[in-house]
Amino acid sequence: MSKRNLALIGATIVSLIYGVTFTIAKDVMPMYIDAYGFILLRVGGSMILFWLVWLFMPKEKIAFNDFPRIIAAAFFGVAFNMLTFFKGLSLTSPISAAVIMVSTPMIVLTLSALIMKERMQKRMIFGIILGLIGTAFLILYGKSIGSATNAGLGNFLVLVNAISYGFYLIIVKKLMDKYNAFTFVKWIYLFGFIMVLPFGWSQFQTVEWALVPMDICWKIGFVVIFSTFLTYLLNLLSMKELKPTTVAVFIYLQPLFATIFAISLGKDELSLVKIGSAILIFVGVYLVTQKKSVQ
């Protein structure tokens, strides 16, 4: 199997994990731990994992002038990204949050054209539009899971997170072209942890761990290990072979997987509209990831 196909599989796995995460994270917060406290736990746990794995990896030295880019990646890809997303998710519903994230490919498309002077081909643009139409149907007909205490503010914060993630994909691409992922991702999470510490420490301290059920602890572990450590690593490895716009378009799969997961739990129901949306999303991703059109 080619490196490109492995990268595409990795990006698909990331979307699958994120799609499941919307519901799992919602079960944890804000009932057992508030959003910022959860982020501190998530970033801190992943930071430890990345530094431990780095001990067994080939060592590279990072040029001093690349640290500003690493700090920027930590801000847009970890701190600001997660703070806005988890706070937004705590106020809105999982499927609504997943659907809003589909604005990211459009954002990355624009940023790539402006910053990286990346030329957009017609097939890619058409694929993105198809995916957008598919997710729009999910917005109109998808059933929300759980309560939404302040959906307007929550949806806005998730949108801000999508913009932040778009900047991160652009920023981190040059680091991927220069270094092994394990060389710099540990620094991204170290700086990210320092950035979220002032926001999450007080909420983290108030958690009554003796009252947290075991199934919630497993869900917290899933978010730390799979939704953060594994997904960020797979995303970085995918970007070694793919352009930021290609990686971003896989976000279209998140609301689809979120809906499938909700249906499997009996919290949503299958309909012709959702089947049609799924077809549009998959066709859109297929068009964008065609080798002749985009890498």
Side-chain angles (χ1 to χ4, degrees), residues 35-56:
Y36 292 166
F38 196 5
I39 290 168
L40 182 63
L41 182 63
R42 179 183 183 183
V43 176
S46 297
M47 176 191 68
I48 293 172
L49 289 174
F50 278 120
W51 277 89
L52 286 175
V53 173
W54 170 78
L55 294 175
F56 303 96

Side-chain angles (χ1 to χ4, degrees), residues 11-294:
T12 303
I13 293 173
V14 168
S15 292
L16 174 60
I17 294 173
Y18 278 150
V20 172
T21 300
F22 286 102
T23 299
I24 291 178
K26 186 71 175 180
D27 289 342
V28 177
M29 60 181 190
M31 181 177 294
Y32 297 101
I33 181 171
D34 284 327
Y36 292 166
F38 196 5
I39 290 168
L40 182 63
L41 182 63
R42 179 183 183 183
V43 176
S46 297
M47 176 191 68
I48 293 172
L49 289 174
F50 278 120
W51 277 89
L52 286 175
V53 173
W54 170 78
L55 294 175
F56 303 96
M57 294 293 161
K59 304 301 183 289
E60 285 182 295
K61 186 176 181 180
I62 298 177
F64 183 77
N65 58 3
D66 282 327
F67 273 98
R69 181 176 291 273
I70 289 174
I71 293 173
F75 176 78
F76 288 110
V78 178
F80 191 58
N81 176 16
M82 291 190 187
L83 288 171
T84 51
F85 173 70
F86 266 48
K87 186 62 177 178
L89 181 59
S90 71
L91 299 174
T92 189
S93 65
I95 287 181
S96 295
V99 169
I100 292 169
M101 283 298 293
V102 303
S103 61
T104 302
M106 290 294 188
I107 295 167
V108 174
L109 189 69
T110 303
L111 292 175
S112 295
L114 293 175
I115 300 174
M116 301 178 69
K117 309 299 182 184
E118 183 178 315
R119 186 179 178 181
M120 297 298 105
Q121 298 191 20
K122 291 181 180 179
R123 183 182 294 183
M124 169 180 274
I125 296 173
F126 182 60
I128 289 177
I129 292 173
L130 276 184
L132 193 60
I133 292 173
T135 53
F137 276 107
L138 283 180
I139 290 177
L140 295 173
Y141 298 99
K143 181 180 177 183
S144 296
I145 307 173
S147 59
T149 56
N150 190 345
L153 177 59
N155 290 338
F156 172 74
L157 289 174
V158 174
L159 178 61
V160 171
N161 151 74
I163 296 172
S164 177
Y165 186 69
F167 272 107
Y168 163 75
L169 289 179
I170 300 296
I171 292 170
V172 82
K173 177 61 177 174
K174 288 189 176 181
L175 292 172
M176 278 305 307
D177 293 339
K178 192 173 182 179
Y179 303 106
N180 179 281
F182 286 103
T183 300
F184 63 85
V185 71
K186 67 184 188 298
W187 289 107
I188 287 179
Y189 268 82
L190 176 60
F191 290 124
F193 178 76
I194 294 171
M195 292 175 188
V196 301
L197 189 59
F199 296 92
W201 181 248
S202 60
Q203 292 185 0
F204 179 76
Q205 281 186 308
T206 61
V207 178
E208 298 183 37
W209 292 104
L211 301 179
V212 178
M214 183 56 65
D215 66 307
I216 297 299
C217 291
W218 282 110
K219 290 178 179 180
I220 292 173
F222 177 90
V223 172
V224 172
I225 297 172
F226 290 97
S227 305
T228 312
F229 173 75
L230 183 60
T231 55
Y232 266 73
L233 181 59
L234 287 175
N235 253 344
L236 288 173
L237 295 177
S238 295
M239 290 190 68
K240 197 79 174 178
E241 302 295 327
L242 307 173
K243 292 181 180 179
T245 42
T246 307
V247 174
V249 83
F250 277 85
I251 288 174
Y252 281 154
L253 295 175
Q254 292 183 23
L256 175 64
F257 288 139
T259 302
I260 292 173
F261 187 61
I263 291 170
S264 69
L265 294 178
K267 296 182 179 180
D268 206 343
E269 57 186 18
L270 190 62
S271 67
L272 289 176
V273 171
K274 286 169 185 152
I275 294 173
S277 298
I279 293 172
L280 287 173
I281 291 171
F282 275 117
V283 171
V285 172
Y286 173 78
L287 290 174
V288 173
T289 55
Q290 283 303 286
K291 190 171 184 179
K292 291 183 179 180
S293 297
V294 60

